[in-house]
Amino acid sequence: MFRRVTAVLVVVASTVLTFPDRVNAGDTVGWRPVFSNSFDDPGALPPGCSAYDGAPEGAQASYFRPEAVTVSDGHLRLALHRRTYGGRPFVTGELRCAGAAQQYGRYEFRARVPVGAGIESVALLRPVSVADAGIAARHGSQLEIMAKPGAEQAVVSNGDGSATTTKVLPGPFSDWHTYVIEWAPSGFCVYVDSKRRWLDPAVSTEPRWFGFAVTTGDRAGTPGSSTTLPAEFQIDYLRIWAFEPNASAAPAGPSTVEAAPGAEPPVSRHWSLWLAAIAVIASALALFAFVIHKTRPHRPPSSHRA
């Protein structure tokens, strides 16, 4: 009987000790919250962020203007208009959060991209202090979402300074989705609705700023007559964490982001695993004590002794 109980205890202990500790997009262990904004202040851009004014590089047919970046009804809105400016036939918006520049980072946002051919909605990571345009491009990373009807896709580009790796992710991407970009020493990850869609072990070590843009050209082409304009790239909230290996899981606050529909803060499962382990061990010890009590020889009362 004792051997049987011992075997049971060994199996229980082995199960508890070898149960893997999950760390994914829902666990913020190793990240320290530094920024959180749910765009509840109409007309105010997030602290440390500004609207870019200038023509984009590449083949885009658009021009970035500050008036195309607004905050209203609890959303950051980047608009695309069919209007000529600076020799370009479209006016678009780009937000750059240079005040949140850092080496490594975790970026979570809930967004809805405009549907239509010729529109690119982009989350950007760009180097802060690299002057050479060619070298800067090799340190850039981005998540580029295109919701062309019947051909929705996202293109992830990740530069580590020497080369850029690209991955195409199939849709759908219209309507609201939650996106997470993790840029850590161990790799560059992209999650969509808590599911990891890509991991690249190569990473840039240059400090980079994060931002959003909506534009035309390059991959998506130019909006034609079938694309309804103006269109908006809408962001419901943005949270940013800094890489800190010893940081515990915590929501990025204080803010009102937690009240946004579908934007509940990530919940760490580490405490629940520990509580489950403690409960299993306590049950095993109680079982062991009960069996020992039942199988141990009992001395008869003194009145029954010879």
Side-chain angles (χ1 to χ4, degrees), residues 3-58:
R3 290 181 179 178
R4 187 175 302 171
V5 173
T6 302
V8 171
L9 288 176
V10 169
V11 171
V12 171
S14 299
T15 302
V16 172
L17 295 177
T18 59
F19 193 88
D21 191 16
R22 294 183 59 189
V23 177
N24 56 28
D27 295 319
T28 52
V29 173
W31 300 101
R32 176 174 53 84
V34 294
F35 178 97
S36 181
N37 197 290
S38 55
F39 309 110
D40 288 328
D41 188 2
L45 296 181
C49 303
S50 61
Y52 177 63
D53 187 0
E57 298 177 359

Side-chain angles (χ1 to χ4, degrees), residues 28-290:
T28 52
V29 173
W31 300 101
R32 176 174 53 84
V34 294
F35 178 97
S36 181
N37 197 290
S38 55
F39 309 110
D40 288 328
D41 188 2
L45 296 181
C49 303
S50 61
Y52 177 63
D53 187 0
E57 298 177 359
Q60 290 95 334
S62 52
Y63 197 103
F64 291 123
R65 288 290 297 160
E67 63 265 24
V69 181
T70 59
V71 174
S72 64
D73 298 325
H75 298 130
L76 170 67
R77 302 172 184 270
L78 307 181
L80 170 60
H81 297 271
R82 197 185 305 273
R83 176 165 63 87
T84 301
Y85 190 94
R88 310 288 179 99
F90 299 95
V91 167
T92 57
E94 179 176 299
L95 182 77
R96 299 183 175 186
C97 294
Q102 57 189 0
Q103 183 187 48
Y104 307 125
R106 183 180 190 272
Y107 309 87
E108 177 186 329
F109 59 96
R110 182 173 179 264
R112 179 170 61 187
V113 303
V115 176
I119 306 176
E120 303 173 4
S121 302
V122 192
L124 304 158
L125 275 170
R126 293 290 184 267
V128 175
S129 57
V130 178
D132 184 271
I135 297 176
R138 292 196 293 271
H139 281 282
S141 299
Q142 65 184 34
L143 172 63
E144 186 177 1
I145 307 167
M146 290 157 283
K148 178 181 178 181
E152 295 184 19
Q153 65 177 19
V155 179
V156 185
S157 302
N158 179 46
D160 64 357
S162 60
T164 299
T165 305
T166 301
K167 175 71 173 180
V168 177
L169 309 178
F173 291 103
S174 58
D175 210 345
W176 290 98
H177 295 278
T178 300
Y179 302 89
V180 173
I181 297 173
E182 286 188 356
W183 163 40
S186 58
F188 185 86
C189 295
V190 173
Y191 296 83
V192 181
D193 296 328
S194 299
K195 181 180 179 180
R196 190 171 75 182
R197 300 292 302 273
W198 192 52
L199 168 62
D200 184 7
V203 294
S204 171
T205 58
E206 285 289 327
R208 302 191 288 188
W209 54 264
F210 183 80
F212 296 108
V214 62
T215 185
T216 66
D218 286 351
R219 300 182 196 277
T222 302
S225 57
S226 62
T227 300
T228 303
L229 296 180
E232 285 187 338
F233 178 22
Q234 299 178 9
I235 296 93
D236 184 43
Y237 69 86
L238 170 63
R239 299 181 183 133
I240 300 177
W241 288 259
F243 180 70
E244 189 170 299
N246 297 323
S248 59
S255 74
T256 57
V257 170
E258 289 72 17
E264 290 80 7
V267 178
S268 173
R269 286 177 288 273
H270 300 287
W271 280 111
S272 60
L273 290 177
W274 276 110
L275 290 174
I278 292 172
V280 170
I281 293 174
S283 299
L285 291 175
L287 175 63
F288 178 75
F290 176 78

